[in-house]
Amino acid sequence: MKLSRVLLIVMSLMLVSCNSDEIKKRTVHVISTGDVHGAWFDEDYSDPEKIHSSLLAVSKKVNDLRDSVGSENVILIDGGDCLQGNVAPYFYNYENSEDPHLFPQIVNYMGYDCVVVGNHDIETSHPVYDKVKKEMDGYGIPWLAGNVIDENGDIYFNEYTVVEKAGLKVLILGYTNPNIPEWLQEEKWKGLRFESLLPYVQNRVDEIKAKVKPQVTIVAIHSGTGKGDGKIFENQGFDLLNSLKGVDLLITAHDHQPVVLKNKKITLMNGGASAAKVGHAVIEVTTKGDKVLDVNVKASVEDVDKNDVDVAMKENFDEMYDLVGDFTNKKVGTIEQTVNTKDAFKGKSLYVDFVNTVMMKATDAQVSFTAPLTYNGTVASGDFIYRDLRTIYPFENELVMLKMKGSEIKGFLEFSYDKWINVCNSDDVVNPDAHVLKIIEKDDPRNGTKGWAFENKSYNFESAAGLIYTVDITKSFGNRVCIKALANGDAFDLEEFYNVAMTSYRFSGAGDLMDEGAGIGREEASGRVVAKYREIRDLIGEYIFENQNITTDMISNVNVLGEWKFIPEDMAAPMLERDMNLLFQNDK
């Protein structure tokens, strides 16, 4: 008996030894969302018959995958920019701040393994994102931004998480956009600093992998793809793709551009924005015992059917949807004339006039700079509801007034129009077939447009109020803008200093208009500040509420705003109309 027991033990040990050396293939699926920007619900708050892409539909798609391959084999990651974008996050950020925030509840319900912090999440300010972080921690969902360092030298959010999926130890590290201080005033991120992703991420990957010893490593960043030339600080995805070692999958976000790229060692995946698509990576891992023999990643971007939603999830959050809907449809006042935001691309528009009017009335600025922040939206004449405020001004930017020299104002405008329009003549002859607007024939997933898109970001197309000036489409950079006078008729002096109103986003250096255009660096700009004001959307809301009926004359007074136009008018007008028809052909 004793001998047989010994033989049995030996055979058992031999069997375990054989099994430990067995070659196995395991498959884990990774679904990524990013730049959701409040696309939580499918039904429009003002028109329930109108359906939007939403996390409700993403939840259904993810659950279908979990049912198909097993939930133990699926990882769900979000790439950031969760707390701004439409009325729902705004309502829970500021209007209903006493209740638990809705976003942590949603990601908990959907079973997210982790979420990355985005720059627009930081823009909500400490009280909001600190509260959300605490609630995310309460659910056990890591909110990742390993390159955000506090005054004590500690990582302010979370840096990584380890999940067990498909029998594999998977390490997920997350980092946010290091360019945040260039966009946001310091009050938004006081006490924090943001490390560049290069070489920081590689160093952290090496250190954490040595400690965790994972079989699969994923890095998720709130940074766009970029060109891989190391020059675009806000878009370092391609730079990391070309340089990272020891990483299997790189998930990017921020630029709203769905893409999959791959080199020999690593795959980059961006699922786009607004819950319209998701990234889906299938990671096949071959192991022998604890040793990884091979990791193969196949990634794609998949459409999400906005009409196929998680019904149980929808019912679970129905009360929250109603609360947001009631707030969205609250009447603020009335407006006399329909406002179309796309009109801002072809010249002086009622849309931009509206914003500039409020900015100038809130300050004693002589000049105001504003860009079209809504690509293609409409506010119909009649009742003006809270939702319309977000069409007019979708972001939580504050108002800043600073001193700028006349020559700096001109340089600022020259830089803006150089990103906006082309030179439309050759040998002093206007080419009637040229494109005035800098557009190219391609789809633009950021705005959902098909066929034609702007080469550059349209939310950087700043024009000025308070001045009388022209923009010559036949002239080159530096010679296009001719400022004739201030709106009140006083002479405009290139050597004189003027009070200028602009958004905190622009003041902080976004789009390079201040630095490269006006020649005013960030530190110098801070010394030029005359006054700071509250958020511009709040100021617009107050203006409407106080005046109630907004007439065209009130928000488009040339004696206050001045006027500007593209010249030669007889040539520019039909050429601009043709370009607009290409850009917005889907409106027909």
Side-chain angles (χ1 to χ4, degrees):
M1 288 292 292
K2 290 182 179 181
L3 180 60
S4 63
R5 285 178 181 174
V6 171
L7 289 173
L8 182 60
I9 291 170
V10 170
M11 291 176 65
S12 298
L13 290 172
M14 291 176 62
L15 182 61
V16 170
S17 176
C18 290
N19 287 339
S20 66
D21 291 334
E22 182 183 353
I23 294 177
K24 294 183 178 180
K25 287 193 175 183
R26 298 179 174 91
T27 301
V28 61
H29 294 255
V30 180
I31 298 292
S32 73
T33 55
D35 300 288
V36 171
H37 288 293
W40 302 340
F41 299 108
D42 61 328
E43 293 181 3
D44 190 272
Y45 302 111
S46 300
D47 180 8
E49 297 298 317
K50 186 176 181 181
I51 302 300
H52 300 285
S53 58
S54 69
L55 286 182
L56 293 172
V58 171
S59 182
K60 177 60 163 58
K61 185 177 182 68
V62 172
N63 285 339
D64 286 347
L65 178 63
R66 287 168 173 156
D67 290 342
S68 175
V69 303
S71 59
E72 71 278 7
N73 300 316
V74 178
I75 296 173
L76 182 56
I77 301 172
D78 184 85
D81 273 5
C82 312
L83 304 182
Q84 277 191 355
N86 67 21
V87 184
Y90 178 86
F91 178 72
Y92 278 93
N93 290 346
Y94 309 111
E95 296 293 331
N96 193 28
S97 58
E98 297 302 315
D99 288 344
H101 201 288
L102 181 55
F103 180 71
Q105 298 178 63
I106 287 175
V107 293
N108 178 59
Y109 186 96
M110 292 178 65
Y112 273 89
D113 292 282
C114 59
V115 177
V116 178
V117 178
N119 55 285
H120 283 292
D121 302 323
I122 298 295
E123 191 171 7
T124 62
S125 296
H126 267 290
V128 176
Y129 60 75
D130 287 347
K131 173 187 176 181
V132 170
K133 179 184 182 300
K134 183 178 180 181
E135 293 179 5
M136 295 273 280
D137 287 344
Y139 285 120
I141 303 172
W143 206 15
L144 305 178
N147 59 324
V148 181
I149 313 300
D150 67 16
E151 293 172 318
N152 298 319
D154 298 323
I155 293 172
Y156 190 72
F157 293 93
N158 298 294
E159 183 172 16
Y160 70 92
T161 185
V162 179
V163 298
E164 297 282 344
K165 294 286 183 174
L168 299 165
K169 182 187 285 188
V170 181
L171 169 64
I172 308 169
L173 306 99
Y175 304 92
T176 195
N177 204 296
N179 205 46
I180 286 172
E182 297 302 314
W183 296 318
L184 305 179
Q185 291 183 272
E186 187 175 355
E187 289 85 350
K188 305 279 189 180
W189 45 271
K190 189 174 182 180
L192 305 176
R193 75 172 192 270
F194 300 82
E195 295 286 345
S196 172
L197 303 185
L198 281 82
Y200 185 83
V201 173
Q202 184 66 71
N203 294 336
R204 299 301 296 159
V205 165
D206 293 344
E207 182 176 335
I208 295 168
K209 281 190 69 176
K211 178 172 61 176
V212 173
K213 295 180 172 55
Q215 292 159 301
V216 176
T217 301
I218 299 170
V219 170
I221 59 172
H222 190 80
S223 183
T225 303
K227 298 179 180 179
D229 57 8
K231 296 179 180 179
I232 307 176
F233 199 48
E234 70 172 288
N235 296 320
Q236 295 183 306
F238 212 149
D239 298 329
L240 287 172
L241 177 69
N242 290 335
S243 63
L244 273 181
K245 294 179 175 60
V247 173
D248 303 299
L249 177 65
L250 174 65
I251 295 173
T252 63
H254 178 65
D255 58 1
H256 297 198
Q257 298 278 10
V259 67
V260 171
L261 300 170
K262 189 177 179 69
N263 64 21
K264 292 181 180 179
K265 296 292 185 180
I266 183 172
T267 298
L268 180 153
M269 177 175 76
N270 184 331
S274 303
K277 300 175 184 291
V278 296
H280 183 184
V282 181
I283 304 177
E284 295 179 346
V285 183
T286 304
T287 60
K288 185 176 182 180
D290 292 331
K291 184 178 180 181
V292 175
L293 300 180
D294 183 56
V295 178
N296 181 47
V297 181
K298 295 180 181 178
S300 61
V301 175
E302 299 177 358
D303 292 331
V304 176
D305 184 352
K306 65 182 181 181
N307 297 299
D308 187 17
V309 302
D310 183 337
V311 176
M313 178 180 173
K314 185 171 182 174
E315 292 176 352
N316 188 77
F317 293 106
D318 188 59
E319 181 179 344
M320 289 76 163
Y321 168 84
D322 288 340
L323 286 174
V324 176
D326 291 344
F327 176 73
T328 299
N329 295 302
K330 181 174 65 175
K331 182 179 176 180
V332 182
T334 61
I335 189 167
E336 180 182 72
Q337 184 175 334
T338 296
V339 176
N340 293 304
T341 66
K342 66 182 181 182
D343 292 343
F345 301 127
K346 61 180 180 180
K348 189 172 181 290
S349 69
L350 190 63
Y351 166 44
V352 171
D353 281 353
F354 194 173
V355 179
N356 274 322
T357 294
V358 174
M359 290 173 65
M360 295 188 78
K361 283 188 175 295
T363 66
D364 59 355
Q366 297 152 287
V367 178
S368 177
F369 290 136
T370 304
L373 300 184
T374 298
Y375 182 75
N376 185 14
T378 299
V379 175
S381 60
D383 286 350
F384 194 105
I385 61 176
Y386 182 81
R387 173 209 184 112
D388 295 327
L389 272 176
R390 298 197 67 87
T391 300
I392 297 294
Y393 211 89
F395 300 112
E396 276 79 63
N397 296 331
E398 295 162 349
L399 178 59
V400 180
M401 185 169 68
L402 67 155
K403 291 285 187 183
M404 288 181 69
K405 204 173 181 179
S407 58
E408 294 167 342
I409 291 171
K410 184 179 186 300
F412 184 103
L413 290 172
E414 288 282 3
F415 188 88
S416 174
Y417 285 105
D418 189 53
K419 301 297 182 183
W420 188 342
I421 65 169
N422 291 299
V423 180
C424 296
N425 70 323
S426 178
D427 299 326
D428 297 324
V429 177
V430 174
N431 177 7
D433 296 322
H435 295 293
V436 176
L437 301 177
K438 276 191 174 176
I439 58 175
I440 52 178
E441 194 169 7
K442 71 165 189 177
D443 295 347
D444 188 349
R446 294 171 300 178
N447 300 312
T449 57
K450 300 287 186 181
W452 289 81
F454 282 110
E455 288 186 41
N456 300 304
K457 296 172 180 177
S458 59
Y459 52 76
N460 289 330
F461 296 171
E462 295 271 353
S463 58
L467 301 174
I468 300 170
Y469 69 99
T470 57
V471 182
D472 196 329
I473 67 170
T474 71
K475 297 291 196 309
S476 59
F477 172 64
N479 300 301
R480 288 189 173 114
V481 178
C482 178
I483 304 175
K484 299 179 179 180
L486 296 174
N488 63 7
D490 289 350
F492 180 81
D493 189 340
L494 293 176
E495 299 302 316
E496 184 70 36
F497 278 89
Y498 300 94
N499 285 338
V500 179
M502 65 176 62
T503 73
S504 55
Y505 177 76
R506 193 67 63 214
F507 166 75
S508 298
D512 298 323
L513 280 87
M514 285 292 285
D515 188 2
E516 296 186 35
I520 303 173
R522 182 183 179 87
E523 187 173 337
E524 184 181 356
S526 297
R528 302 274 197 96
V529 172
V530 176
K532 293 183 179 181
Y533 305 84
R534 293 181 294 110
E535 290 180 356
I536 295 170
R537 185 173 56 239
D538 289 346
L539 295 171
I540 296 171
E542 285 183 6
Y543 179 83
I544 298 168
F545 186 79
E546 290 172 2
N547 291 280
Q548 282 301 294
N549 184 37
I550 307 303
T551 67
T552 304
D553 290 341
M554 290 169 58
I555 59 175
S556 194
N557 186 340
V558 295
N559 295 321
V560 175
L561 303 179
E563 57 184 340
W564 73 271
K565 56 190 174 183
F566 288 114
I567 62 170
E569 286 186 87
D570 58 340
M571 296 178 182
M575 294 167 70
L576 283 162
E577 197 61 39
R578 186 176 66 243
D579 287 348
M580 292 290 288
N581 288 336
L582 291 173
L583 281 170
F584 299 100
Q585 58 189 289
N586 295 316
D587 288 358
K588 298 177 181 178

